[in-house]
Amino acid sequence: MIELAPSILSADFAHLADQVDRATAGGGTVIHVDIMDGHFVPNITIGPVVVKSLRKATHLPLDCHLMIENPDQYLGDFAEAGADWISVHQEVCRHLNRTLNLIKSLDCRAGVVLNPATPVETLSEVLDIVDYVLVMSVNPGFGGQKFIPETLHKVRKLADLRAHRGYAYRIEIDGGIALDTVTEVVRAGAEILVAGNAVFGQGDAKQNASALLEAARSASLQRV
Ligand code: DX5
Ligand code: ZN
């Protein structure tokens, strides 16, 4: 099943609840929340207090993408604030198995994220315990960047591995997803599509979300 996860990074933060409502009306079913610390990525965004406010503003699952160092230190805070899904970057987790199990012990879905330069093989020992794998199709840190098509083979690889080995994870993709890239992304096997700029950048978030979702769904019907 294809799902659209609008990323609030590109939303107007002074009207966040409103923007989330518009994207939801357009078919968004997961709200993607980008947490950046200015260390792992060269940008700073938001923390648990905003997650807590968002929790009251939407019934949709909150997908917290942690682009931070030492994620273990903050997992409890995000879970308590109302995160439903929490993903951590492979590149910062020295004890990835422990971190993923910690997320699950907090009753959240556990995801792991791969930067464009990080291979799928680095996850071979955790693919049986993750709920989702997030493939970055840009280098994390900013919205509105150009999609990196060379990352798509990782989506195909994850779909193949799952089919052949019976894993249960879902495949999410993040970065540069828009009307001109969504078809190839879905055909490669991505199921949860994060989109920031394409939903909130210009025009109406409801219309943008629904056009993107429609393009994604028609691509999934043509998947071979
Ligand atoms: C980038 C973030 C993304 C970002 C995507 O580091 O992880 O979630 O919001 O933005 P777009 O869809 O504009 O590329
Ligand atoms: Zn993200």
Side-chain angles (χ1 to χ4, degrees), residues 161-200:
L161 279 169
R162 185 177 57 189
H164 291 113
R165 305 212 185 137
Y167 296 131
Y169 54 78
R170 300 180 74 199
I171 305 170
E172 183 173 29
I173 190 157
D174 184 4
I177 308 304
L179 285 174
D180 60 339
T181 53
V182 72
T183 300
E184 55 179 332
V185 157
V186 169
R187 284 190 184 155
E191 299 144 337
I192 305 159
L193 312 172
V194 177
N197 194 50
V199 171
F200 296 112

Side-chain angles (χ1 to χ4, degrees), residues 57-210:
T58 178
H59 61 278
L60 294 183
L62 298 176
D63 169 24
C64 293
H65 172 193
L66 304 191
M67 286 160 274
I68 63 175
E69 288 174 6
N70 302 319
D72 292 25
Q73 197 181 328
Y74 300 99
L75 295 174
D77 294 343
F78 282 104
E80 201 177 316
D84 299 283
W85 306 6
I86 298 180
S87 62
V88 291
H89 271 258
Q90 186 278 341
E91 300 83 10
V92 299
C93 291
R94 204 174 276 176
H95 304 288
L96 186 55
N97 177 288
R98 177 192 289 156
T99 303
L100 293 169
N101 280 314
L102 186 53
I103 296 172
K104 289 175 161 221
S105 75
L106 294 165
D107 276 335
C108 294
R109 296 208 187 152
V112 64
V113 194
L114 294 174
N115 272 344
T118 307
V120 168
E121 287 69 21
T122 58
L123 302 184
S124 62
E125 302 304 318
V126 295
L127 287 179
D128 58 336
I129 61 168
V130 286
D131 295 306
Y132 60 107
V133 179
L134 170 49
V135 174
M136 290 307 299
S137 40
V138 298
N139 287 293
F142 302 95
Q145 300 184 82
K146 195 174 164 336
F147 178 74
I148 303 173
E150 292 77 14
T151 57
L152 272 191
H153 78 96
K154 292 196 275 184
V155 172
R156 285 187 212 101
K157 193 174 280 182
L158 284 162
D160 279 356
L161 279 169
R162 185 177 57 189
H164 291 113
R165 305 212 185 137
Y167 296 131
Y169 54 78
R170 300 180 74 199
I171 305 170
E172 183 173 29
I173 190 157
D174 184 4
I177 308 304
L179 285 174
D180 60 339
T181 53
V182 72
T183 300
E184 55 179 332
V185 157
V186 169
R187 284 190 184 155
E191 299 144 337
I192 305 159
L193 312 172
V194 177
N197 194 50
V199 171
F200 296 112
Q202 289 172 356
D204 176 50
K206 177 182 174 188
Q207 277 175 16
N208 294 340
S210 106

Side-chain angles (χ1 to χ4, degrees), residues 15-94:
H15 302 278
L16 204 44
D18 215 43
Q19 297 256 281
V20 166
D21 277 352
R22 293 303 289 165
T24 306
T29 44
V30 176
I31 301 302
H32 186 82
V33 184
D34 288 303
I35 316 294
M36 306 187 188
D37 67 353
H39 292 277
F40 175 60
V41 289
N43 195 5
I44 298 176
T45 55
I46 58 168
V49 288
V50 177
V51 173
K52 193 173 173 191
S53 298
L54 270 174
R55 181 67 291 156
K56 292 180 225 148
T58 178
H59 61 278
L60 294 183
L62 298 176
D63 169 24
C64 293
H65 172 193
L66 304 191
M67 286 160 274
I68 63 175
E69 288 174 6
N70 302 319
D72 292 25
Q73 197 181 328
Y74 300 99
L75 295 174
D77 294 343
F78 282 104
E80 201 177 316
D84 299 283
W85 306 6
I86 298 180
S87 62
V88 291
H89 271 258
Q90 186 278 341
E91 300 83 10
V92 299
C93 291
R94 204 174 276 176

